[in-house]
Amino acid sequence: MTNALAPYRRLTIKIGSATIVDSATGKLRTEWLMALAEDLASLKAEGRSLVVVSSGAIALGRRLLGLDAVNLSLEQQQAAASAGQIALSQAWADCLGRHGIVAGQILITPNITEERRYFLNARTTISTLLDLGAIPIINENDSVATAEIKYGDNDRLSARVATMIEADALILLSDVDGLYTAPPGRDPGARHLAVVAAITPEIEAMAGGAASHLSKGGMTTKIEAGKIATQAGTAMIIARGTDLHPLRALTEGGTHTLFAAAESRAQARKRWIMGTLDLAGQIHVDAGAARALLSGKSLLPIGVTRVKGEFVRGDAVAILDPDGREIARGLVGLDRDEAELVKGKNSARVAEMLGLGARAELVHRDNLVVLTGMDAKAL
Ligand code: GLU
């Protein structure tokens, strides 16, 4: 009996509409949700950080508003999401509350995961909730997102969330137990795959388009999610979530498909920062700060001698040593005006000037890539 979740500490768990809402009645599957909350509570008690991406708002809201057409218009879907989200969040707060766990709700739109400033804020909120022992419950903000700027399915949304918080694994709980060599409903010879080492064109071809009538995604969006996750160093698991205790089942050898992570998250982040072409500014540092950076430390305002460019928090900047050589690149934690204000000041003074809770680093070491001789040559 292998525990499929044993290697992972930080998990993003995506709950599909077909697991949380009864397709026949349109009602919440309360017993199922209670069982899932038990699973989440025990994973959390083992020291894991958990972030849930929960679908179900539209499916719940359509019943609440008496919308029973099979295909809802965009406006009806947005109204359904608005009414259903209240019920969905309440259900999460109740079921986790029974275990003494607080649920936090975050509704996001694609720009939040794509634009660095929003991205950093959302990530900070999620990690603050995690530090406080809560479980963030995330969904797309369907009531305001328009068709063109919408994920539309929570498979890809959850993959973005997983990479945003650097989850070790993304678990997609839906009505399928993994990837088959062909759509199992149509092809009796279809074989279940336990592990996918890399998402090749052959693997993509195995995904049929079928989805249940409640959910937006199908195997195709799950494979898309797999590409986003694995390329950023997050493994992905697809498992059937419809039975009671779907996460416990995974710890007890339950059937699933594992998509292996392509590279470590640190490597992926480094590649992403190195790949940023539009550097928004330059930060000149003194010799002490240059040495600190080379030894893996964060960049503190005290070591900054000059600030150039029009950057805002989250932008990529070049960091230059006293000889004007670029020694590192990083994502800056302050806007240009703030950086200008605090340059050369010690951390206590910075906190005083920018207010309590202001992060003392100008560039945190997690957001920093020191250029080795080789990287520098490649530029
Ligand atoms: N965000 C949608 C909802 O909560 C679900 C999208 C999906 O099924 O992937 O109803």
Side-chain angles (χ1 to χ4, degrees):
M1 184 176 87
T2 344
N3 176 353
L5 304 185
Y8 313 117
R9 215 193 72 75
R10 184 170 274 213
L11 298 173
T12 297
I13 299 144
K14 184 255 172 178
I15 314 292
S17 298
T19 61
I20 195 166
V21 179
D22 184 310
S23 62
T25 63
K27 289 193 186 159
L28 193 76
R29 297 181 64 216
T30 314
E31 190 194 356
W32 177 87
L33 187 58
M34 293 299 168
L36 179 75
E38 257 178 59
D39 291 2
L40 291 170
S42 44
L43 288 173
K44 191 166 177 299
E46 289 169 9
R48 293 192 170 82
S49 299
L50 307 173
V51 172
V52 170
V53 174
S54 176
S55 303
I58 297 175
L60 286 175
R62 53 158 57 228
R63 189 185 69 87
L64 294 172
L65 294 172
L67 297 164
D68 29 58
V70 176
N71 294 315
L72 300 184
S73 68
L74 179 63
E75 293 76 12
Q76 287 173 323
Q77 287 184 40
Q78 294 190 306
S82 162
Q85 187 62 44
I86 297 182
L88 188 62
S89 303
Q90 191 57 54
W92 278 108
D94 288 347
C95 74
L96 292 174
R98 287 173 177 236
H99 299 274
I101 301 169
V102 175
Q105 174 187 270
I106 303 178
L107 298 179
I108 66 180
T109 43
N111 65 327
I112 292 177
T113 53
E114 305 306 325
E115 283 175 41
R116 284 194 296 267
R117 269 176 302 155
Y118 289 113
F119 173 96
L120 289 178
N121 281 338
R123 195 173 64 176
T124 304
T125 306
I126 294 171
S127 56
T128 307
L129 282 166
L130 293 174
D131 289 347
L132 293 169
I135 297 189
I137 310 290
I138 298 176
N139 197 0
E140 181 152 23
N141 195 347
D142 292 305
S143 303
V144 298
T146 57
E148 315 79 66
I149 53 145
K150 201 168 161 10
Y151 284 106
D153 65 86
N154 277 0
D155 293 325
R156 288 173 303 160
L157 173 77
S158 63
R160 288 285 178 209
V161 168
T163 59
M164 174 161 83
I165 63 157
E166 301 188 351
D168 304 304
L170 165 65
I171 301 164
L172 301 181
L173 294 179
S174 73
D175 50 1
V176 289
D177 64 3
L179 180 67
Y180 285 76
T181 50
R186 275 181 262 154
D187 184 343
R191 210 164 37 78
H192 179 270
L193 296 174
V195 180
V196 171
I199 302 178
T200 58
E202 291 72 38
I203 294 291
E204 290 186 59
M206 290 174 191
S212 75
H213 82 282
L214 278 186
S215 54
K216 304 275 180 200
M219 196 46 83
T220 311
T221 54
K222 289 181 178 49
I223 299 292
E224 286 302 315
K227 283 201 236 164
I228 297 169
T230 58
Q231 278 166 21
T234 298
M236 185 175 90
I237 289 174
I238 298 180
R240 191 192 312 284
T242 43
D243 294 342
L244 296 186
H245 296 292
L247 293 172
R248 189 203 288 167
L250 277 174
T251 65
E252 293 175 351
T255 310
H256 63 276
T257 299
L258 167 69
F259 294 77
E263 59 184 338
S264 75
R265 285 190 313 283
Q267 286 169 318
R269 176 192 282 273
K270 180 168 165 151
R271 189 170 46 75
W272 189 69
I273 294 175
M274 286 303 295
T276 311
L277 296 175
D278 53 340
L279 294 174
Q282 292 185 342
I283 295 177
H284 294 253
V285 302
D286 63 20
R291 269 196 307 277
L293 292 180
L294 296 174
S295 69
K297 302 242 168 58
S298 297
L299 175 61
L300 301 177
I302 193 160
V304 174
T305 53
R306 210 169 123 212
V307 171
K308 274 176 68 181
E310 282 308 321
F311 54 83
V312 291
R313 177 169 176 237
D315 279 344
V317 294
I319 300 169
L320 282 65
D321 72 5
D323 299 326
R325 277 187 310 236
E326 184 178 349
I327 52 165
R329 277 183 189 186
L331 304 182
V332 73
L334 297 175
D335 294 347
R336 186 227 143 92
D337 292 350
E338 292 172 326
E340 185 66 58
L341 193 70
V342 300
K343 72 171 194 233
K345 308 280 191 301
N346 69 30
S347 297
R349 185 88 185 91
V350 174
E352 224 172 80
M353 294 174 86
L354 297 183
L356 278 178
R359 279 170 283 271
E361 308 92 15
L362 188 53
V363 181
H364 189 275
R365 61 170 190 273
D366 289 349
N367 294 327
L368 195 75
V369 180
V370 173
L371 306 182
T372 61
M374 216 166 66
D375 293 331
K377 258 187 256 139
L379 290 173

